[in-house]
Amino acid sequence: MVKQLEAVIFDLDGVITDSAHFHYLAWKQLAADINIKIDEAFNETLKGISRMDSLDLILAKGGREQDFTLAEKEELAAKKNAHYVELLKDLSPADILPGIASLLEAIRTAGLKIALASVSKNAPMVLAALGLTDSFDYLADAAKITHSKPDPEIFLVAAAGLGVAPENAVGIEDAQAGVEAIKSAGMKAIGVGTGLIGADELVSDTSELTLAIIQKVFHL
């Protein structure tokens, strides 16, 4: 069967908007509450990772993996999320990353489908604040995803939700775990940023993302 580009699947943080700093501030506060120090370099290791997995990494950093029950860990994660949601209140269309609004329009005009593959359970709220809800044909439900990136599950779910075969889609990510997830799903991958290993194409920032690059990557 001849492969044909049918869909583009986006990550959210660092690709559509940059709420990574809000995540950092919320995690930093939570970590401080339980006497663990984290910095922005450590926060980079949490990119693309689910909330509970991120919490586990923070607890491991502080040597406190065994100090909390599952219920207590869920409470901590909920506390972090509440702080994050509070920080997001000022999010608006002005916070869409450069070039993304016009890229989504170009993809739609080309007749391609668009999905979001974000592990953030707040993704629908973030898209609504950005005014982009109607730009997406399908949002993978992070609450129903069992395995975090680099597992390909969320990208496979997004492709299935669009009704397209994974090999007919291109994924766009800014995290190493995300690029690995895209490739494991059998898709072509575009990485946003530097030092991402395994991406079929790298752009330094979202302003360089174009429909032409997506089409070129698909045919590599």
Side-chain angles (χ1 to χ4, degrees), residues 174-188:
D174 74 318
Q176 185 62 47
V179 169
E180 291 172 20
I182 293 169
K183 296 304 291 182
S184 295
M187 303 175 185
K188 296 291 187 181

Side-chain angles (χ1 to χ4, degrees), residues 54-75:
S54 293
L55 177 59
D56 284 339
L57 288 173
I58 290 168
L59 294 178
K61 184 181 188 301
R64 303 201 61 190
E65 306 99 307
Q66 309 304 321
D67 292 358
F68 301 92
T69 65
L70 178 58
E72 287 170 337
K73 283 163 63 173
E74 285 172 346
E75 262 182 48

Side-chain angles (χ1 to χ4, degrees), residues 28-38 61-64 68:
K28 185 180 180 185
Q29 181 60 58
L30 182 83
D33 289 346
I34 53 174
N35 298 313
I36 298 174
K37 268 190 181 179
I38 66 169
K61 184 181 188 301
R64 303 201 61 190
F68 301 92

